[in-house]
Each structure stands twice: as C-alpha cells, then as structure tokens.
Amino acid sequence: MEQLDYMVGEWVGTSSSYKNGELINQVPAFEKISYDLNKSIIVIELNSETLKLHTIIYFDEADGTYYYNPFSENGARKLTDGRFVVQANESKRFIFEKYEENGFREYGEELIDGQWVKYFEDVFTNTQ
C-alpha cells in the first residue's frame, strides 16, 4: 500500500467536467483519503456538488493487484497499471497521480475515435 502514500490526506480543490475536450463545468470539491484496517485498505471519501463517492482500494498480495471499489451506482473497478489507471470499461478510465509539489489529481478519460479524451479532472491540494 506504500505506493499510494501520496494520496493520503485531506484535499480541497476543483472538480472540472469536459465534453469533447472543452471545459463545461467546475465545482469545489473535498476529498478525504485515509488508511484503515491496519493500513490494509485506503478509504476515499469524495464530496462535491456533482458527485459523492465512497471508495475502497485494496491490494491483493496473492495476485499482486490493486482493486478499486467505488460505492455508487457504478459498482467495482480494478486498478490496472503503475499510474493507477482504473479501467471502468472499454471506453472509460480514471487516472490517479501526484500533481505538482503538494498536489494530487484524478481525471477521467473516454475513448473517442481511437483517442483518449479527458472528460473530468479533480485537482487537490493537501490541507495537512
């Protein structure tokens, strides 16, 4: 789980929505990310005007895979590569990464005409 240490904290920022590569909406967002169960899981609590999401990330040592389990209307997803890309389905994915010196971001992309196009981005700064 140490690979995800950069995500842990209380974050404030902006959640942006895109359509066809154009910014269409921005709202304030808050995200609390913490370890639980003796650091065996990470709990993500996202809260914005457009989305409320409770997510658990778990690392399965047997298969060497991180699992991303969002609790909303969309079900569970599996983390798939070193940038922590969550492949929601064949045409949508979510990417988690460090951002600037004291930041963290998550963004979503959808596959349009063979190209991955960003359709939302949440950028956060650690408040701790």
Side-chain angles (χ1 to χ4, degrees):
M1 295 300 283
E2 295 82 30
Q3 290 182 27
L4 301 180
D5 278 347
Y6 71 90
M7 294 171 59
V8 174
E10 291 188 6
W11 307 88
V12 294
T14 304
S15 180
S16 304
S17 299
Y18 298 84
K19 186 169 184 173
N20 300 323
E22 298 291 323
L23 178 67
I24 59 171
N25 188 32
Q26 283 189 316
V27 296
F30 172 78
E31 197 162 54
K32 179 180 178 186
I33 302 176
S34 59
Y35 285 110
D36 202 358
L37 302 175
N38 293 320
K39 288 192 164 185
S40 64
I41 64 171
I42 289 179
V43 179
I44 301 173
E45 299 172 69
L46 172 66
N47 201 349
S48 75
E49 293 174 18
T50 56
L51 181 63
K52 290 175 184 26
L53 187 66
H54 193 97
T55 303
I56 304 295
I57 296 176
Y58 167 74
F59 181 74
D60 186 322
E61 291 191 26
D63 68 9
T65 302
Y66 284 93
Y67 289 90
Y68 173 89
N69 300 289
F71 291 88
S72 72
E73 67 279 0
N74 296 324
R77 303 292 179 250
K78 182 178 176 179
L79 289 167
T80 57
D81 80 16
R83 284 191 312 154
F84 299 105
V85 176
V86 177
Q87 197 72 43
N89 56 46
E90 290 181 12
S91 63
K92 285 193 176 183
R93 65 185 184 185
F94 312 109
I95 294 101
F96 296 83
E97 62 188 11
K98 289 182 182 180
Y99 189 71
E100 297 180 351
E101 187 173 325
N102 192 30
F104 162 75
R105 78 174 175 167
E106 173 189 359
Y107 59 97
E109 297 179 327
E110 53 190 344
L111 191 59
I112 299 173
D113 298 327
Q115 299 264 7
W116 287 104
V117 178
K118 182 169 45 176
Y119 71 95
F120 85 86
E121 176 181 58
D122 297 344
V123 177
F124 295 99
T125 302
N126 197 331
T127 63
Q128 297 177 333

